[in-house]
Every structure is written in structure tokens, then in C-alpha cells.
Amino acid sequence: MDIALFSFYKAPNPDYQNIATGLQVRGHSVCLGQRNKLDDLDWRGEGSVAAALPGPWRLPEWLLQIPLAALLLRRVRFMPFMLRTRRWLRRLEPDIVQVNPASLHALWILPLFMPRRMHFVLDIRQIGLGARLGRIGRFRERLALRMRWVLARWFFDHTCFNHTATAQRVLGPHWSRWATVVPVGINPDFLSIQRPQRTGDADSPLRFVYLGALSRVRELDPLFLAIQKVLRSTRAFRVLFVGPDLAAGHYQKLTDDLCLNGVALLRPPMPHHEIPALLAQCDVGLAYVPDRVTWHLQPTIKVLEYRAAGLPILSTDVDGHREAVEEGVNGLLVRNTVDSLSSAMLRFITDRDFLCQFQQQAANMRQALTIDRVDEMYEQDVYRKLLEQAPDR
């Protein structure tokens, strides 16, 4: 079948590239649409760019400082973009269009009055609950949640979620009438890498790693402050941050201001196929997230990758991560405070017997749902069922 995967996040989700590759291996023709560095939309076939569509209107910063104008323009600017994307999809003529939206603005336009044989799947991976403060913020979150319900029920043919809890939060207890849960798939290379056992040498720096975008919404400041606090006791550690800078240099400045240079190492994103080899050289995976509703509903990709790689995990204590982290067995679940984070980091650094015990237990607990199984779920449980429907639906 012909499949179009459409995602428009500033930091492209590696999961979509994995899905596209896996579906191609299964014999399907896949075109992947993702945001490029110019904020336009690149559609790629097997390696080459098939089309580059201009992205949403770029608004000047001064205009975004006017609250009412910004509120209106942020919504209107997506309409021409969605119309351009519709025209491209009409030319492409895929059987399946799967959409992972970074924004809900004008998304309803995409499937409206499109050819009946073209089936549209809404892929909801994040719902962003708990990030906005105040009454207005909470109202906007409730409005966005309701909009997802409307899109799933009335505009798209089917909806996919990564977790049952998220599906229930959006569509209610009878979510399975309109949706399918397909968990995140992990590259099997994470399960096969060999990690050297850490020796009892307390002088060699312990290597922590954090995978993910450096963005203000991730609220990483407490983690940097925890690093500063640990430095008061020891310098025998390094913390490697690997991911795109979406905070306009804020965390690099914070690193400088807190005198963390040489300990907190900020690196640009790596090709996803190189991440398993990187984890093989690290000692503890940092699965820090803000204590928000979103992360109580589903796990992050990073914590699943750490689990698959057999890496001991230091995680914020959120429900979504308890599926991957067993407290005191393959990791530690701590409160989202500077003191809790720094104490847990310090214990890994100073008690090498404790670290070795966790390494052995984490190695014995390696598991993951692999990409090939996830691609099979999309193919059999979602796409083929849609195609088997009557043509006139």
C-alpha cells in the first residue's frame, strides 16, 4: 500500500523515521513529511526529497507580542499551509495518511472532502496536559483536549495512541470504538549492544546521559541546578545532553552561569542509529521530565531506550515511567526537586558497588517492543482494517 506519514515538530520524532523504514522493509511505499531547518515541509521517499512545501507563515516577533493579534494569527497562519499539504496529498494519492500534529490549528482542513479511498489516521502522541499555568492556561488545555476529541470522532477515519491511558483521557472509556493503541517501537539495536561492566574505580568519571530536546517546556533547570549541587561534593562525573537546542541557547547560558562547563556537556542531535553505541559508553540514563499530567499518562521514548539498552535509570517519579523503571531494581524514581535529583546522582557516583548492582539488574531486565512488531501492528490492526472498509464508507 501507499502510505504518507506527516509530522511537523521542530525536533522531528525519530519514531516516525523508524516507522517509515520498517514499513518500507515490509514492502510498502512510504513518503515521510517532516519539518526542515527552514520550517518548511520536506516530503521524502526512499532517501530523496520528493517535494518541499512552504511551511506556515513566519510571523515577526514584534507582532507576537500583541496578545490578541498573536492569538488570531497563530491560528490563521496554518490554513494556507494545510491547503498546500492537501494539494500535495491529492497528487501523491496515498491509501493511508497518518498525521502526527505539532499543532491542532486548521488540522480539520486536511481530511475534509478528500477522496474517499484516501484514509486519514490521527496519531496523538502527546497531549501536553499540565504545562500551562493559571486559569487561562488550564482553559486552553481543556479546549485543546476537546479539539482532539472532535478531530478523532468527526474528521479522521481512525486515531492511534501510544498508551491506553492517553486514549481514555481523550476519547473516554469507550475509546476502542474509534482508536487503536500502538506503543512506541524501539530499534532492536538497543537490545543487542554490549555494555562494559563498570569497575570499582571511583576515580573514573561516572557518565550520565540525557536524550531529548533542550526546550523550555521540558523545564530542565532543576536538573542543571542538581548538577551544580553534586559538584560541591565531587567532580567525578559527566552529564551528556544530546538533542536539539529549542531554547535559544538558554541551557548553554545556564551551564556557563552555574560554572558547569566540562561537566555538563551539551551536544547536538545525533543520527538515531548511532544512539545505541552512545548508550553503550554511558553508565546511567537520565529520564528527567517535569512532573506534569502528560508524563503520568505515558512514558517517554528515552526511558524505553534506556530500558532496552540495559542502562540503570534515574527518573522523575511519574506513572508513565514506572512501567520501565522498577524502583531499587533497575533504577531510582525520585521527586522532581533539586535535592532529590542531586542525592540520587551522588549515590550512583560515590557508591560503585551500588552502581554495579544496578547495572547487573538492568542488564537482566532488558526488553522492548521492537519497530518490526510495531510496524506489523500499524499494518494489520490499523491500515488493512481501514482499507477493508466499503469504498463509500
Side-chain angles (χ1 to χ4, degrees):
M1 67 186 76
D2 294 330
I3 303 165
L5 300 176
F6 172 31
S7 179
F8 198 67
Y9 282 86
K10 284 187 178 180
N13 191 328
D15 196 32
Y16 255 48
Q17 181 60 67
N18 291 339
I19 292 171
T21 301
L23 289 170
Q24 288 167 347
V25 170
R26 297 181 71 83
H28 303 292
S29 174
V30 182
C31 198
L32 176 62
Q34 289 185 315
R35 192 175 192 157
N36 64 24
K37 294 180 180 179
L38 300 176
D39 285 343
D40 294 329
L41 179 64
D42 282 348
W43 285 98
R44 294 180 177 271
E46 295 190 18
S48 60
V49 177
L53 306 182
W57 292 337
R58 295 167 179 81
L59 302 176
E61 284 299 321
W62 65 267
L63 196 56
L64 294 177
Q65 303 306 313
I66 306 173
L68 192 57
L71 185 65
L72 177 62
L73 291 173
R74 285 184 188 278
R75 285 155 175 74
V76 173
R77 75 191 189 104
F78 272 86
M79 296 186 71
F81 173 57
M82 286 298 166
L83 291 172
R84 286 192 292 271
T85 305
R86 278 172 53 93
R87 287 194 293 270
W88 161 250
L89 290 172
R90 280 184 175 275
R91 291 198 297 270
L92 189 64
E93 296 184 334
D95 302 303
I96 301 291
V97 179
Q98 182 166 313
V99 184
N100 174 217
S103 171
L104 301 178
H105 301 327
L107 190 62
W108 57 272
I109 295 175
L110 201 60
L112 199 62
F113 304 125
M114 292 291 270
R116 291 178 182 271
R117 62 177 184 75
M118 198 180 294
H119 300 266
F120 283 79
V121 177
L122 178 62
D123 190 13
I124 299 178
R125 292 173 173 258
Q126 296 181 6
I127 56 176
L129 290 179
R132 295 187 173 100
L133 303 178
R135 291 181 180 179
I136 295 177
R138 290 192 294 271
F139 171 75
R140 291 176 63 186
E141 287 185 348
R142 289 195 297 270
L143 187 63
L145 194 66
R146 188 62 177 176
M147 185 61 190
R148 289 183 175 90
W149 181 90
V150 170
L151 289 169
R153 289 290 309 275
W154 301 109
F155 287 89
F156 283 77
D157 299 304
H158 199 70
T159 301
C160 288
F161 296 91
N162 288 149
H163 201 281
T164 301
T166 311
Q168 290 175 338
R169 194 59 175 261
V170 176
L171 291 176
H174 304 295
W175 61 268
S176 59
R177 295 173 59 186
W178 310 284
T180 301
V181 168
V182 182
V184 173
I186 302 300
N187 189 319
D189 290 347
F190 284 91
L191 290 166
S192 61
I193 60 169
Q194 298 299 313
R195 300 187 56 258
Q197 185 72 22
R198 166 64 80 166
T199 67
D201 181 8
D203 294 327
S204 59
L206 189 75
R207 298 156 297 192
F208 294 92
V209 61
Y210 173 90
L211 300 177
L214 301 181
S215 66
R216 300 298 288 267
V217 74
R218 297 287 175 149
E219 300 177 17
L220 290 165
D221 295 53
L223 184 54
F224 282 81
L225 291 170
I227 295 170
Q228 184 192 43
K229 187 169 184 178
V230 174
L231 275 174
R232 298 171 189 167
S233 301
T234 179
R235 295 188 65 88
F237 72 105
R238 303 289 183 268
V239 183
L240 179 63
F241 293 86
V242 180
D245 178 9
L246 303 182
H250 167 76
Y251 292 108
Q252 182 59 64
K253 184 178 185 301
L254 188 61
T255 299
D256 297 337
D257 292 345
L258 299 178
C259 301
L260 305 183
N261 290 299
V263 176
L265 310 173
L266 278 57
R267 299 289 184 262
M270 301 172 59
H272 194 250
H273 68 271
E274 296 179 8
I275 297 295
L278 170 71
L279 296 187
Q281 302 303 314
C282 297
D283 299 302
V284 179
L286 291 173
Y288 169 86
V289 293
D291 190 359
R292 301 286 185 245
V293 175
T294 292
W295 307 123
H296 286 275
L297 296 176
Q298 62 187 49
T300 57
I301 296 177
K302 66 173 70 64
V303 77
L304 300 177
E305 292 175 341
Y306 299 155
R307 175 72 180 260
L311 205 62
I313 304 167
L314 172 53
S315 171
T316 309
D317 188 5
V318 291
D319 291 343
H321 283 187
R322 290 176 188 163
E323 299 175 11
V325 184
E326 292 189 26
E327 169 64 24
V329 182
N330 69 325
L332 295 176
L333 293 162
V334 302
R335 290 184 298 122
N336 187 27
T337 66
V338 173
D339 288 344
S340 296
L341 289 164
S342 60
S343 295
M345 292 176 69
L346 196 57
R347 187 171 186 190
F348 276 119
I349 297 166
T350 58
D351 189 343
R352 294 304 169 93
D353 290 337
F354 174 81
L355 172 65
C356 288
Q357 177 186 350
F358 270 66
Q359 284 187 321
Q360 184 59 54
Q361 290 167 170
N364 292 336
M365 295 169 60
R366 297 173 76 168
Q367 67 175 25
L369 185 69
T370 56
I371 298 168
D372 56 343
R373 174 61 184 132
V374 165
D375 285 324
E376 181 183 6
M377 293 172 72
Y378 277 119
E379 178 190 65
Q380 301 298 327
D381 299 341
V382 182
Y383 303 159
R384 291 205 183 280
K385 287 185 178 180
L386 286 172
L387 293 178
E388 288 169 1
Q389 293 178 359
D392 59 0
R393 289 188 280 176

